Amino acid sequence: MRKVFASTAGLTDRPTHYCPGCTHGIIHRMVGEVIEDLGIRERTVGIAPVGCSVLAYEYFNCDMFEASHGRAPAVATGAKRARPDIIVFSYQGDGDLASIGMGEIIHTANRGEKVTVIFVNNAIYGMTGGQLAPTTMPGQYSTTTPRGRDVRDCGYPVKMAEIIAQLTTPAFVARGSTHTPREIIATKALIKKAFEYQVAGTCFSLVEVLSICPTNWGLSVRESEKWLEREMLPYYPLGVKKRPEDFAEVSADAKH
Amino acid sequence: MRKVFASTAGLTDRPTHYCPGCTHGIIHRMVGEVIEDLGIRERTVGIAPVGCSVLAYEYFNCDMFEASHGRAPAVATGAKRARPDIIVFSYQGDGDLASIGMGEIIHTANRGEKVTVIFVNNAIYGMTGGQLAPTTMPGQYSTTTPRGRDVRDCGYPVKMAEIIAQLTTPAFVARGSTHTPREIIATKALIKKAFEYQVAGTCFSLVEVLSICPTNWGLSVRESEKWLEREMLPYYPLGVKKRPEDFAEVSADAKH
Amino acid sequence: MPNTDTEVLMAGFGGQGMLLSGKILAYAAMYQGLEVSWLPSYGPEMRGGTANVTVCISEKQVASPYIAQPRALLTMNQPSLEKFGPRVRPGGLIIINSSLVPIKSDRADCRVIYVAANDLAAKVGTGRAANLVMLGVYVGLSGVVDAKVTEKIIEKEFSDKVKFIPANVAAFRAGLEEGVNARATNR
Amino acid sequence: MPNTDTEVLMAGFGGQGMLLSGKILAYAAMYQGLEVSWLPSYGPEMRGGTANVTVCISEKQVASPYIAQPRALLTMNQPSLEKFGPRVRPGGLIIINSSLVPIKSDRADCRVIYVAANDLAAKVGTGRAANLVMLGVYVGLSGVVDAKVTEKIIEKEFSDKVKFIPANVAAFRAGLEEGVNARATNR
Amino acid sequence: MAKVLMKGNEAIGEAAIRAGCVHFFGYPITPQSEVPEYLAKRLPEVGGKFVQAESEVAASNMIYGAAGVGVRVLTTSSSPGISLMSEALSYIAACELPVVVVNVMRSGPGLGGILPAQSDYLHATKGTAHGDFKMIVLAPASVQEAVNLVILAFELAEKYLNPVMVIGDGMIGQMMEPVEFPVEGVGKPLDPGNWALTGCKGRGKRIINSLYLDPEICYRHNLKLTAKYEEIRKAEQRFDTYNTDGPYDLLVTAFGMTSRIARTAIDELAQEGQRVALFRPITLNPFPYEALRAAASKAKRVLDLEMNMGQMLQDVRMALGPDAAIDFFGTAGGVVPSPDQCREKMLESISKTGSRPKAKGARRNP
Amino acid sequence: MAKVLMKGNEAIGEAAIRAGCVHFFGYPITPQSEVPEYLAKRLPEVGGKFVQAESEVAASNMIYGAAGVGVRVLTTSSSPGISLMSEALSYIAACELPVVVVNVMRSGPGLGGILPAQSDYLHATKGTAHGDFKMIVLAPASVQEAVNLVILAFELAEKYLNPVMVIGDGMIGQMMEPVEFPVEGVGKPLDPGNWALTGCKGRGKRIINSLYLDPEICYRHNLKLTAKYEEIRKAEQRFDTYNTDGPYDLLVTAFGMTSRIARTAIDELAQEGQRVALFRPITLNPFPYEALRAAASKAKRVLDLEMNMGQMLQDVRMALGPDAAIDFFGTAGGVVPSPDQCREKMLESISKTGSRPKAKGARRNP
Amino acid sequence: MPKIEISVERCKGCERCNDACPAKILGMTQKLNARGYSYAQVNDRRKCLGCRLCAINCPDLAIEVFAEGTTYEFFHY
Amino acid sequence: MPKIEISVERCKGCERCNDACPAKILGMTQKLNARGYSYAQVNDRRKCLGCRLCAINCPDLAIEVFAEGTTYEFFHY
Ligand SMILES: Cc1ncc(C[n+]2csc(CCOP(=O)(O)OP(=O)(O)O)c2C)c(N)n1
Ligand SMILES: Cc1ncc(C[n+]2csc(CCOP(=O)(O)OP(=O)(O)O)c2C)c(N)n1
Ligand code: SF4
Ligand code: SF4
Ligand code: SF4
Ligand code: SF4
Ligand code: SF4
Ligand code: SF4
Ligand SMILES: [Mg+2]
Ligand SMILES: [Mg+2]
């Protein structure tokens, strides 16, 4: 018998602390597998955020940083500039990347740092117990919007992949999901592409991955997958948002 | 004889400290005139940034804050939420708004705070002596890019109006310029619209205004205007980027 | 009047309701004019971990709400018994939910009571109210708070889920009876 | 050997080159083995303001580079004369560029020299080198540094704009001559 | 009003409302997230405004904005979040705006852990940020006191136009104790005085600013602030003592919850005839140096107990001098010292004094 | 190497290069912008990396990342910018990474002004951020010493795996003085030791982290750090004295540039026969308490001079005790005390001691 | 014949494998594992297609898939 | 006849008004004002259109424009 699916060298074999059904685990596995597939484990440095995946440094089987809340892209910048030969990725939640870390992610992307960002959008603050995230859906309950997200008060959810994609600097930006095996397969391909661009030294890359949080959504795992599909997918369309190949050189050379 | 052009009640009559030809002065005047035109001077609170316009609190003839570098939109949020009856505007440079203050401006816009932001893009850090701004043009000299902005190192200039315009939350977003009387006239109309939306309680509004910095560009005033037209205009197209009227209600109401 | 100064540690898995039992006990004591504190463990947001609370009751202001050696332990799961059992003060009280804890305590210097709280609770209503059986046993045994007052608090706590009141009160009473009996029989 | 310990304040509008004159003086002193410090005013980035620099020269390590009462003042504009004139130490030296400063100093207790620095500079090359006329006067008068060394420094400072060297050296020499004469004539 | 049993974090939120503060800007962080959660529910009910800021940097600048337009305003956070507020707190102090900041401390440094600690003492009292400024810092030791001090914090903030920080450890945020609230609306509406930016109708324009380009003016501004801090120092020192009536051999210093753990140990030792007293500063700034010195003068030795590696210890040393006999015991990382540990450390200290226990049972153990 | 005349800010940049540091991440701010400007030019020439960060928050996290992968790294800023680095500095200290931070201080609080000040003493030495950690803090008094201390800073940072701050006022950044640099590359390449994240080829994975959920482990980590600070305290105190050889009536304490102004006044007073000595701490942390005490024991009185409202004064008090006769004179807001002002304050202090001047001209005025 | 192996101790009982299996051969136990979770089990081993979808959908790397002979990977995973 | 007035002391000599004037009637003085700037002046008063463009283009509010009788505002400013 041949193993056609097994654990990956990109992850340690430590069981995770995530809740049953939490798709952080799947996203970890995909990143781990890509690291293994590309043969870059021994030159990869990962950066864990502050969020439910704060312990990601225990799970990824490569050198790991733990960054302060939201600043993983700045840490990534420092690491990659100092050692351009290593592969640097950050793994960040929506509170981390899209709220407190908005400035860092946009500028890191805009500078075109040759790093890869895995952005886990679960529309909530998981770790701290279900507060509003910038990506929380209109009407969605959170502990800091006990009457549901009121768009007149909190505005609409931010679409990070689209925001980053729209910067002029060449990049690979895409959005995947984890609510079905089909989307997981597609998302893994996106993550692989993202790392490949870094390995080739081409550009910044970011993959936003829609993820479920049954615990703080107050839903079963199955209901959560349905809710993601029904509520999040229309607002957060999947697919590639930007490729470096599409870049039309801005001819400007504004010496004066 | 009738005065058909005179100083405005929206400004104090203190001469400014700006360099000869610096268009900060024109942008001040336009804002002051709009405040006068709309009859809101006595209920307006302005917020000066840290940048060449740090002393704007001396020039605007209304209640004024001096904010910390980049955080004017957060100050505006606090002020407006606390007193929804006042008209709140911030006046910020490109270092202030687009570099250190990137997180604050995006979230303030995204929450749909009913405030108005005047964003002065002069493609440089004026006050501190000509360092790279996020909006500095490719190849442009700055004291921290002594060989010109290398886009492989610093990425491409950020287009703030486009970034803000692209958020889902309804807003009025536009870009104007100051390099000719024609554009000044058009820009004043944009600034007026921006304030009108706030007065009506409709939405967040932002006007990006292209401005010259002869001192740090190392050009004469006339050369600066030409340079703005030749180098900046193609990259930073003028016009209205977003209007609240265009907003198609996102039907989502993701209660669960 | 008995010296009511005491500290109780109530422990179980998250979701087993021991924090609520502790709150009811604290409220009951407070309503009787006693000073109280209710200090939960708040670990990192790890899922499925244990949850415990220390309730201190005193006639004077509670000094330390953090108690290393409580006078009583109520435990709903084995890890908690293993972790906290050894810490109970000599001469103290240990109440174990034998429906869920398969092992015994080895504390010869404490009074140890085994109650099949889930079974008892299921019998009088629902197994989910096992936490109140445990509370009942403790109240019956220690007499630290008045049972009637405690029942009122239970009713108040469930005032927005009225339909759960009867089963929870019944579970409390079932535990209370066990406790009162135990008090009468031994020691 | 004369006691060379001194402090000179050089002031003018931004762009008039007094910071550079100060730097040349400091360099010249340094090359002669003296200790020096060069402390510019750095005001807020207000445009068109005044710029001044304090150069301290000492045989021992310079103590305070910040001097409230300098021994000498070289001034290229009226505001600086008004501001700093009163601060010069009694018995000190004030050199005024009379090409640009229409007023006189009222310091009877100081030696005051008026030099039409711009005119002189224009005569020997370019008016833009007035700052070096001023420096020349000071060097000639005070003898604090060697004129030849100073000329070498000037050449070095302009080494990437060689074509400006002759005019600047000429301006320095013109000033020097004035200074040496003044030294000989009075006091 | 009757007593209610309430979690410290929620009681802090409610206390603010009772003080008349209905504006909150803050960012979630354990172990204080129940404050914003509670206020997100409550504030709309009382016509207030709750805003979840995008970060602590933003939150601290939002309270600057809200205080500047003349409303009472609160933010709360925990250690790393408070560090991010450093710059804004310097601005707020410089502009003399009244704000209240609550820090429910967790362990550090860095991300540390979420369990109780007292290791932000120095950041709060000494070096909050750049420039010469000081906050008033209040340290409650019970949920009731947290309520009282939050209310006091608003009073002091407005009296002195200065930021006030209430600083407790995670325990105080997470525990429930009975509390009694003063009647609703103790706080009269904040008086926007002659400084708040309310629109210049009927008066000259106002400016809230901390930039002073002229050094002399900036100096004068600093002197003015310093004079204010001196006034605060003289008028606002608060502390509590325990067992100081009779004679005692050892004086224990402790603030916040640690003082209660110490009390348990002191009571136990009293039963053994050991005479130990407690000095608890309530205002960590202004620190009650003279009062501590007076209390220590009656003891042979001082033992400082903290949930940190010796931060208040600096002030204890400052009060008593470099030659004073001061012992220290501190825990960190979320480890709460047990009453037994404290007891042991007290006995160690006592043994160094050479004192013998007095008749057992001299004092009753409550 | 021959001496060159150089601006302090540029010399600081060059010193870093000479120490082997070719990575810089920072954000412009007056009066230190010449450091990044200089390095933007120089670093590409020596194969280094210059990155203008989007903010000080980002810059401080970039140096965390760069130090974590094992390169020597520098950031520089001025007061408000340093406040924004608070959180990251706590992380860096917790993770025991070697970084050097230069603070060219300007006046505060808030935006303050851009002129010289020394008002970040307490933020640097006491309460940089949340949690129990300390930086090593070095205070140069000349451009040459700034160069030397920047080089020393890298050595100490790497020896103790701890952030080191070099702290000077705006004057030191802006003035030119002759400097001599050590030969290029004093610094051997940084030894990535057993901690740097270089990719796990040929070894187990490494983690750089400050999260310790288990309180016991977090406690142990704190104890380990504290032990390190104790080691630093013992080994690294540095100070300078002036005029302490003979007898003296007054001891002046001052750090950084203020000490030089004081020296001018001391020299003048010596000509008048007044005996005044100077004590200048070079390491503000660890502060040389014992050495100061020894120096002060020979004087009748101490006068502390600072460009702030009395920050180092706390350490002087800590060293000498609450009963010591200590006077203070401080300026703020960018006002630099003049030698004359200092002289006057010294005379005032001397008059309080009742001493009379000794024979005039006893000491030569240089 | 392809087959899968489920790690009792890694499984958290989320049932995502159950939903993913096109052969509908997976179910949950009544028994609890050491961490208190009811865990996944194969109800009908013979019908396993070796398609890996259960493993792909599992957040906890609790499933390994084995196959013999030639396998056709319709999707690269 | 429309006319403009230039404030000698407010003017910084940037020449933007010169460039803006459609009638090309503005120039700069040789004299300097108190702040050291050569300032704007009207060379031929009679040709002024009262169009306000010089004032609109001036960063320093140094120009006031006066007109008599009916004016047609082609652009609202
Ligand atoms: C400076 C700072 N602010 C706040 C926190 C508290 N905090 C920890 S995780 C988190 C948000 C987590 O949400 P997200 O990034 O969406 O990750 P998730 O848990 O949902 O995966 C917050 C606010 C912190 N640790 N540090
Ligand atoms: C926290 C902080 N960082 C940096 C600075 C220094 N600083 C002052 S203004 C400025 C940038 C100004 O540029 P911009 O915002 O573009 O305004 P401009 O002067 O060009 O109008 C900087 C970096 C500061 N005052 N505070
Ligand atoms: S709280 Fe939500 S995001 Fe966090 S582990 Fe649980 S399910 Fe996943
Ligand atoms: S430096 Fe530039 S932006 Fe600043 S006043 Fe001068 S021209 Fe204007
Ligand atoms: S491999 Fe496919 S068929 Fe077999 S159990 Fe898994 S999902 Fe079902
Ligand atoms: S998907 Fe994995 S964790 Fe979930 S039930 Fe199946 S085997 Fe268990
Ligand atoms: S009003 Fe028009 S025509 Fe008259 S001076 Fe001005 S620009 Fe020229
Ligand atoms: S535009 Fe204004 S400031 Fe410029 S030259 Fe004309 S009048 Fe003077
Ligand atoms: Mg999330
Ligand atoms: Mg700018």
Side-chain angles (χ1 to χ4, degrees), chain A residues 174-185:
Chain A
R175 184 184 286 117
S177 183
T178 53
H179 65 297
T180 62
R182 181 175 174 280
E183 294 311 335
I184 293 169
I185 292 163

Side-chain angles (χ1 to χ4, degrees), chain B residues 57 60 63-64 66 83, chain E residues 64 69 203 205-206 208:
Chain B
Y57 59 76
F60 288 109
D63 279 5
M64 292 292 298
E66 210 296 307
R83 290 199 187 268
Chain E
Y64 173 71
V69 299
R203 57 164 172 79
K205 63 175 277 200
R206 291 175 180 165
I208 289 182

